[in-house]
Amino acid sequence: MKRYAAVVISLLAVVILVTGVFGSMREGQTMQVRFNKRDLPKHEVQIITSADPSFEAMVASYFKTQSKTAKDLEPFSVFIKNSGNRTVVAYMLLWQLVRADGRVLTNRTAYSEPAMLMGEETPTDPRFKHTQAIEPNTVKCFSWSAPIAEGEAGIGSTQDLKAMLRQGSDERNAAIRSQLTTELTQATDLTVSLDGVFFDDGSFVGPNTTGFFERMQAIVQAKLDLLRDIAAAATEGKEDEVFDVITAKSLEPDSIITSTASPEDYYKYYTKLFATELSGMKSFYGKQKLVPHLKKLHERPRPVLKMEVWEER
C-alpha cells in the first residue's frame, strides 16, 4: 500500500464486560447460558442485549407500532446505542457461542459507510440517509448476521416487491435462528462484542483483534489513491494516460476476499472495484465533465484515520 494514515496515540478505557444469565427452553429442557457483552461505554457506544433491563423498552421504542416484541428478538439480537456527539461510521460486531463440549461458533460482521471517511457529507434529506452509520443519540438493532431496520416488522402486501424480498429474508433469518437456538441448548456462554469503531472524525477505538482498522484503512486508501492520480494527471494535462491506467486496473483478475485476507488484499480488491466505477463514470459523463468533479472530490477535506492506543486492564 502506498500510504498509511497517521496513528494518533491517546489513552483509552478498557472494554467493559457485563454478564447476564438467561434460560433457553427447547423440548422441555432449560439450560442457563451466560450472556456477555464487551462494548465501549467510555466512548459512549454501548451494546444493549436481551439480558439488559432496558432491552424490552428499547424494542418497543425502536419498532413503535410494529409487531416485534422482546421475545421475537432475544437472545440473538442486540442494539448498539450511540450516546455521544460523534457519528459512528464503521464498526465490527462479533458474536461467539461457546458450547459445553468446547466447540465455538463465531460470526463477525463489519458495517461501514466508507464514503464518510473519504470526506462525503452526511445527507440532510432523510430519504438519502446513510444506512449503516449510527448517528448521535440513536440506536440500531442487529441480529446474529444482519441489521434489523426500524420498519422491518411492518412491510405491507406480499404483492409488493419489497415485501416479497423481505419474506425471503425473514425465511432465511428464521432458518438461521432455528439453527442457533439448537446450538444454544448446548451452550454455556454467548458473547457479543465491538472489536472496533470508527467515528466521523476518523478516530478508531477498540481492541482490533480482527484487523478491522487496517481493513478500513486499505478500502479508503484505494479510493483516495485513484483520486490523487487523477488530480495530478489533470494538472499535467495527462487525463487520457491516467484513465488508460485506471481502465487497466479495472480489467485485472478478480480478487477473493476471505476471513484471512490481508490489508493488501483489501487494497487490491477495492482498487479494482473503484477503478471499474470510475471507468463507468467516464463512459457515462465524459472526461470533460468527470475530471473536474473528481479533482474537487480529491481536494475536499476528509478525516485522517487514527488508531488510539488500546489498553485492556
Side-chain angles (χ1 to χ4, degrees), residues 95-118:
W95 295 77
Q96 185 178 70
L97 187 67
V98 181
R99 288 170 44 123
D101 61 8
R103 192 168 73 90
V104 179
L105 184 63
T106 301
N107 184 66
R108 63 181 192 179
T109 309
Y111 303 92
S112 65
E113 298 279 359
M116 297 182 71
L117 297 175
M118 300 172 192

PDB file of all heavy atoms in Angstrom, residues 95-118:
ATOM      1  N   TRP A  95     -19.857 -12.085  17.418  1.00  0.00           N
ATOM      2  CA  TRP A  95     -20.674 -12.979  18.230  1.00  0.00           C
ATOM      3  C   TRP A  95     -19.880 -14.262  18.457  1.00  0.00           C
ATOM      4  O   TRP A  95     -19.229 -14.768  17.545  1.00  0.00           O
ATOM      5  CB  TRP A  95     -21.970 -13.341  17.519  1.00  0.00           C
ATOM      6  CG  TRP A  95     -22.922 -12.213  17.279  1.00  0.00           C
ATOM      7  CD1 TRP A  95     -22.822 -11.247  16.328  1.00  0.00           C
ATOM      8  CD2 TRP A  95     -24.141 -11.959  17.984  1.00  0.00           C
ATOM      9  NE1 TRP A  95     -23.895 -10.400  16.397  1.00  0.00           N
ATOM     10  CE2 TRP A  95     -24.722 -10.818  17.399  1.00  0.00           C
ATOM     11  CE3 TRP A  95     -24.796 -12.603  19.037  1.00  0.00           C
ATOM     12  CZ2 TRP A  95     -25.936 -10.297  17.847  1.00  0.00           C
ATOM     13  CZ3 TRP A  95     -25.997 -12.081  19.486  1.00  0.00           C
ATOM     14  CH2 TRP A  95     -26.553 -10.937  18.902  1.00  0.00           C
ATOM     15  N   GLN A  96     -19.966 -14.804  19.649  1.00  0.00           N
ATOM     16  CA  GLN A  96     -19.267 -16.050  19.949  1.00  0.00           C
ATOM     17  C   GLN A  96     -20.146 -16.897  20.873  1.00  0.00           C
ATOM     18  O   GLN A  96     -20.488 -16.487  21.985  1.00  0.00           O
ATOM     19  CB  GLN A  96     -17.919 -15.781  20.604  1.00  0.00           C
ATOM     20  CG  GLN A  96     -17.088 -17.037  20.821  1.00  0.00           C
ATOM     21  CD  GLN A  96     -15.732 -16.717  21.427  1.00  0.00           C
ATOM     22  OE1 GLN A  96     -15.653 -16.330  22.592  1.00  0.00           O
ATOM     23  NE2 GLN A  96     -14.687 -16.873  20.639  1.00  0.00           N
ATOM     24  N   LEU A  97     -20.491 -18.085  20.391  1.00  0.00           N
ATOM     25  CA  LEU A  97     -21.309 -19.022  21.154  1.00  0.00           C
ATOM     26  C   LEU A  97     -20.430 -20.203  21.547  1.00  0.00           C
ATOM     27  O   LEU A  97     -19.867 -20.891  20.692  1.00  0.00           O
ATOM     28  CB  LEU A  97     -22.475 -19.505  20.287  1.00  0.00           C
ATOM     29  CG  LEU A  97     -23.552 -20.369  20.948  1.00  0.00           C
ATOM     30  CD1 LEU A  97     -24.328 -19.558  21.983  1.00  0.00           C
ATOM     31  CD2 LEU A  97     -24.508 -20.922  19.890  1.00  0.00           C
ATOM     32  N   VAL A  98     -20.261 -20.419  22.851  1.00  0.00           N
ATOM     33  CA  VAL A  98     -19.391 -21.480  23.362  1.00  0.00           C
ATOM     34  C   VAL A  98     -20.253 -22.603  23.917  1.00  0.00           C
ATOM     35  O   VAL A  98     -21.080 -22.397  24.812  1.00  0.00           O
ATOM     36  CB  VAL A  98     -18.454 -20.951  24.467  1.00  0.00           C
ATOM     37  CG1 VAL A  98     -17.534 -22.066  24.960  1.00  0.00           C
ATOM     38  CG2 VAL A  98     -17.635 -19.781  23.940  1.00  0.00           C
ATOM     39  N   ARG A  99     -20.065 -23.817  23.364  1.00  0.00           N
ATOM     40  CA  ARG A  99     -20.809 -24.985  23.827  1.00  0.00           C
ATOM     41  C   ARG A  99     -20.125 -25.642  25.017  1.00  0.00           C
ATOM     42  O   ARG A  99     -18.942 -25.438  25.270  1.00  0.00           O
ATOM     43  CB  ARG A  99     -20.934 -25.999  22.682  1.00  0.00           C
ATOM     44  CG  ARG A  99     -21.877 -25.587  21.578  1.00  0.00           C
ATOM     45  CD  ARG A  99     -21.770 -26.503  20.371  1.00  0.00           C
ATOM     46  NE  ARG A  99     -21.720 -27.899  20.751  1.00  0.00           N
ATOM     47  CZ  ARG A  99     -22.570 -28.831  20.329  1.00  0.00           C
ATOM     48  NH1 ARG A  99     -23.556 -28.495  19.517  1.00  0.00           N
ATOM     49  NH2 ARG A  99     -22.444 -30.091  20.675  1.00  0.00           N
ATOM     50  N   ALA A 100     -20.901 -26.452  25.714  1.00  0.00           N
ATOM     51  CA  ALA A 100     -20.363 -27.170  26.872  1.00  0.00           C
ATOM     52  C   ALA A 100     -19.251 -28.132  26.475  1.00  0.00           C
ATOM     53  O   ALA A 100     -18.359 -28.437  27.274  1.00  0.00           O
ATOM     54  CB  ALA A 100     -21.487 -27.920  27.589  1.00  0.00           C
ATOM     55  N   ASP A 101     -19.286 -28.648  25.228  1.00  0.00           N
ATOM     56  CA  ASP A 101     -18.242 -29.575  24.782  1.00  0.00           C
ATOM     57  C   ASP A 101     -17.003 -28.859  24.267  1.00  0.00           C
ATOM     58  O   ASP A 101     -16.076 -29.486  23.764  1.00  0.00           O
ATOM     59  CB  ASP A 101     -18.785 -30.515  23.705  1.00  0.00           C
ATOM     60  CG  ASP A 101     -19.269 -29.761  22.455  1.00  0.00           C
ATOM     61  OD1 ASP A 101     -19.053 -28.535  22.365  1.00  0.00           O
ATOM     62  OD2 ASP A 101     -19.865 -30.413  21.566  1.00  0.00           O
ATOM     63  N   GLY A 102     -16.981 -27.523  24.382  1.00  0.00           N
ATOM     64  CA  GLY A 102     -15.816 -26.748  23.979  1.00  0.00           C
ATOM     65  C   GLY A 102     -15.874 -26.205  22.568  1.00  0.00           C
ATOM     66  O   GLY A 102     -15.044 -25.369  22.182  1.00  0.00           O
ATOM     67  N   ARG A 103     -16.827 -26.656  21.759  1.00  0.00           N
ATOM     68  CA  ARG A 103     -16.930 -26.148  20.397  1.00  0.00           C
ATOM     69  C   ARG A 103     -17.389 -24.694  20.418  1.00  0.00           C
ATOM     70  O   ARG A 103     -18.249 -24.312  21.216  1.00  0.00           O
ATOM     71  CB  ARG A 103     -17.905 -26.992  19.573  1.00  0.00           C
ATOM     72  CG  ARG A 103     -17.846 -26.716  18.081  1.00  0.00           C
ATOM     73  CD  ARG A 103     -18.615 -27.766  17.298  1.00  0.00           C
ATOM     74  NE  ARG A 103     -20.058 -27.602  17.437  1.00  0.00           N
ATOM     75  CZ  ARG A 103     -20.797 -26.850  16.615  1.00  0.00           C
ATOM     76  NH1 ARG A 103     -20.223 -26.177  15.642  1.00  0.00           N
ATOM     77  NH2 ARG A 103     -22.094 -26.775  16.783  1.00  0.00           N
ATOM     78  N   VAL A 104     -16.812 -23.884  19.526  1.00  0.00           N
ATOM     79  CA  VAL A 104     -17.119 -22.459  19.487  1.00  0.00           C
ATOM     80  C   VAL A 104     -17.706 -22.099  18.122  1.00  0.00           C
ATOM     81  O   VAL A 104     -17.141 -22.442  17.078  1.00  0.00           O
ATOM     82  CB  VAL A 104     -15.861 -21.609  19.751  1.00  0.00           C
ATOM     83  CG1 VAL A 104     -16.196 -20.121  19.673  1.00  0.00           C
ATOM     84  CG2 VAL A 104     -15.258 -21.952  21.106  1.00  0.00           C
ATOM     85  N   LEU A 105     -18.849 -21.425  18.130  1.00  0.00           N
ATOM     86  CA  LEU A 105     -19.481 -20.932  16.915  1.00  0.00           C
ATOM     87  C   LEU A 105     -19.321 -19.414  16.901  1.00  0.00           C
ATOM     88  O   LEU A 105     -19.760 -18.730  17.820  1.00  0.00           O
ATOM     89  CB  LEU A 105     -20.963 -21.312  16.901  1.00  0.00           C
ATOM     90  CG  LEU A 105     -21.768 -20.957  15.649  1.00  0.00           C
ATOM     91  CD1 LEU A 105     -21.221 -21.713  14.434  1.00  0.00           C
ATOM     92  CD2 LEU A 105     -23.246 -21.288  15.851  1.00  0.00           C
ATOM     93  N   THR A 106     -18.655 -18.904  15.846  1.00  0.00           N
ATOM     94  CA  THR A 106     -18.311 -17.480  15.800  1.00  0.00           C
ATOM     95  C   THR A 106     -18.846 -16.832  14.540  1.00  0.00           C
ATOM     96  O   THR A 106     -18.858 -17.439  13.462  1.00  0.00           O
ATOM     97  CB  THR A 106     -16.782 -17.291  15.840  1.00  0.00           C
ATOM     98  OG1 THR A 106     -16.274 -17.882  17.037  1.00  0.00           O
ATOM     99  CG2 THR A 106     -16.417 -15.818  15.819  1.00  0.00           C
ATOM    100  N   ASN A 107     -19.312 -15.602  14.661  1.00  0.00           N
ATOM    101  CA  ASN A 107     -19.682 -14.799  13.497  1.00  0.00           C
ATOM    102  C   ASN A 107     -19.181 -13.375  13.709  1.00  0.00           C
ATOM    103  O   ASN A 107     -19.331 -12.807  14.790  1.00  0.00           O
ATOM    104  CB  ASN A 107     -21.197 -14.773  13.285  1.00  0.00           C
ATOM    105  CG  ASN A 107     -21.571 -14.020  12.017  1.00  0.00           C
ATOM    106  OD1 ASN A 107     -21.258 -14.449  10.910  1.00  0.00           O
ATOM    107  ND2 ASN A 107     -22.226 -12.889  12.181  1.00  0.00           N
ATOM    108  N   ARG A 108     -18.552 -12.835  12.683  1.00  0.00           N
ATOM    109  CA  ARG A 108     -18.127 -11.445  12.744  1.00  0.00           C
ATOM    110  C   ARG A 108     -18.617 -10.727  11.500  1.00  0.00           C
ATOM    111  O   ARG A 108     -18.506 -11.235  10.389  1.00  0.00           O
ATOM    112  CB  ARG A 108     -16.606 -11.336  12.859  1.00  0.00           C
ATOM    113  CG  ARG A 108     -15.825 -11.888  11.683  1.00  0.00           C
ATOM    114  CD  ARG A 108     -14.335 -11.744  11.940  1.00  0.00           C
ATOM    115  NE  ARG A 108     -13.540 -11.997  10.747  1.00  0.00           N
ATOM    116  CZ  ARG A 108     -12.223 -11.919  10.703  1.00  0.00           C
ATOM    117  NH1 ARG A 108     -11.543 -11.605  11.792  1.00  0.00           N
ATOM    118  NH2 ARG A 108     -11.576 -12.144   9.574  1.00  0.00           N
ATOM    119  N   THR A 109     -19.214  -9.565  11.702  1.00  0.00           N
ATOM    120  CA  THR A 109     -19.789  -8.809  10.596  1.00  0.00           C
ATOM    121  C   THR A 109     -19.392  -7.348  10.727  1.00  0.00           C
ATOM    122  O   THR A 109     -19.543  -6.747  11.794  1.00  0.00           O
ATOM    123  CB  THR A 109     -21.324  -8.912  10.587  1.00  0.00           C
ATOM    124  OG1 THR A 109     -21.711 -10.287  10.652  1.00  0.00           O
ATOM    125  CG2 THR A 109     -21.894  -8.296   9.328  1.00  0.00           C
ATOM    126  N   ALA A 110     -18.876  -6.786   9.617  1.00  0.00           N
ATOM    127  CA  ALA A 110     -18.497  -5.371   9.591  1.00  0.00           C
ATOM    128  C   ALA A 110     -19.619  -4.561   8.957  1.00  0.00           C
ATOM    129  O   ALA A 110     -20.247  -4.988   7.981  1.00  0.00           O
ATOM    130  CB  ALA A 110     -17.208  -5.190   8.804  1.00  0.00           C
ATOM    131  N   TYR A 111     -19.871  -3.408   9.522  1.00  0.00           N
ATOM    132  CA  TYR A 111     -20.842  -2.463   8.980  1.00  0.00           C
ATOM    133  C   TYR A 111     -20.116  -1.140   8.791  1.00  0.00           C
ATOM    134  O   TYR A 111     -19.426  -0.669   9.711  1.00  0.00           O
ATOM    135  CB  TYR A 111     -22.017  -2.292   9.934  1.00  0.00           C
ATOM    136  CG  TYR A 111     -22.714  -3.597  10.260  1.00  0.00           C
ATOM    137  CD1 TYR A 111     -22.338  -4.350  11.374  1.00  0.00           C
ATOM    138  CD2 TYR A 111     -23.721  -4.092   9.443  1.00  0.00           C
ATOM    139  CE1 TYR A 111     -22.968  -5.559  11.658  1.00  0.00           C
ATOM    140  CE2 TYR A 111     -24.353  -5.299   9.724  1.00  0.00           C
ATOM    141  CZ  TYR A 111     -23.973  -6.020  10.840  1.00  0.00           C
ATOM    142  OH  TYR A 111     -24.586  -7.215  11.115  1.00  0.00           O
ATOM    143  N   SER A 112     -20.248  -0.514   7.618  1.00  0.00           N
ATOM    144  CA  SER A 112     -19.463   0.701   7.390  1.00  0.00           C
ATOM    145  C   SER A 112     -20.091   1.602   6.338  1.00  0.00           C
ATOM    146  O   SER A 112     -20.863   1.165   5.485  1.00  0.00           O
ATOM    147  CB  SER A 112     -18.038   0.338   6.939  1.00  0.00           C
ATOM    148  OG  SER A 112     -18.046  -0.304   5.676  1.00  0.00           O
ATOM    149  N   GLU A 113     -19.731   2.869   6.432  1.00  0.00           N
ATOM    150  CA  GLU A 113     -20.024   3.877   5.430  1.00  0.00           C
ATOM    151  C   GLU A 113     -18.683   4.490   5.035  1.00  0.00           C
ATOM    152  O   GLU A 113     -18.324   5.589   5.459  1.00  0.00           O
ATOM    153  CB  GLU A 113     -20.955   4.953   6.014  1.00  0.00           C
ATOM    154  CG  GLU A 113     -22.304   4.461   6.456  1.00  0.00           C
ATOM    155  CD  GLU A 113     -23.294   4.311   5.300  1.00  0.00           C
ATOM    156  OE1 GLU A 113     -22.908   4.627   4.147  1.00  0.00           O
ATOM    157  OE2 GLU A 113     -24.426   3.878   5.549  1.00  0.00           O
ATOM    158  N   PRO A 114     -17.870   3.788   4.222  1.00  0.00           N
ATOM    159  CA  PRO A 114     -16.513   4.270   3.927  1.00  0.00           C
ATOM    160  C   PRO A 114     -16.478   5.628   3.254  1.00  0.00           C
ATOM    161  O   PRO A 114     -15.499   6.373   3.412  1.00  0.00           O
ATOM    162  CB  PRO A 114     -15.939   3.173   3.022  1.00  0.00           C
ATOM    163  CG  PRO A 114     -17.119   2.428   2.499  1.00  0.00           C
ATOM    164  CD  PRO A 114     -18.155   2.508   3.569  1.00  0.00           C
ATOM    165  N   ALA A 115     -17.535   5.984   2.508  1.00  0.00           N
ATOM    166  CA  ALA A 115     -17.551   7.285   1.838  1.00  0.00           C
ATOM    167  C   ALA A 115     -17.461   8.425   2.853  1.00  0.00           C
ATOM    168  O   ALA A 115     -16.887   9.486   2.568  1.00  0.00           O
ATOM    169  CB  ALA A 115     -18.805   7.430   0.992  1.00  0.00           C
ATOM    170  N   MET A 116     -18.009   8.212   4.060  1.00  0.00           N
ATOM    171  CA  MET A 116     -17.936   9.253   5.083  1.00  0.00           C
ATOM    172  C   MET A 116     -16.509   9.445   5.565  1.00  0.00           C
ATOM    173  O   MET A 116     -16.141  10.526   6.030  1.00  0.00           O
ATOM    174  CB  MET A 116     -18.868   8.907   6.243  1.00  0.00           C
ATOM    175  CG  MET A 116     -20.339   8.857   5.859  1.00  0.00           C
ATOM    176  SD  MET A 116     -21.439   8.512   7.250  1.00  0.00           S
ATOM    177  CE  MET A 116     -21.324  10.044   8.163  1.00  0.00           C
ATOM    178  N   LEU A 117     -15.689   8.399   5.478  1.00  0.00           N
ATOM    179  CA  LEU A 117     -14.285   8.524   5.839  1.00  0.00           C
ATOM    180  C   LEU A 117     -13.459   9.103   4.697  1.00  0.00           C
ATOM    181  O   LEU A 117     -12.273   9.378   4.863  1.00  0.00           O
ATOM    182  CB  LEU A 117     -13.725   7.157   6.243  1.00  0.00           C
ATOM    183  CG  LEU A 117     -14.372   6.523   7.476  1.00  0.00           C
ATOM    184  CD1 LEU A 117     -13.821   5.122   7.708  1.00  0.00           C
ATOM    185  CD2 LEU A 117     -14.155   7.397   8.709  1.00  0.00           C
ATOM    186  N   MET A 118     -14.091   9.278   3.541  1.00  0.00           N
ATOM    187  CA  MET A 118     -13.433   9.885   2.396  1.00  0.00           C
ATOM    188  C   MET A 118     -13.845  11.343   2.204  1.00  0.00           C
ATOM    189  O   MET A 118     -13.501  11.968   1.208  1.00  0.00           O
ATOM    190  CB  MET A 118     -13.754   9.091   1.123  1.00  0.00           C
ATOM    191  CG  MET A 118     -13.308   7.644   1.165  1.00  0.00           C
ATOM    192  SD  MET A 118     -13.927   6.728  -0.276  1.00  0.00           S
ATOM    193  CE  MET A 118     -13.580   5.033   0.216  1.00  0.00           C
TER     194      MET A 118
END
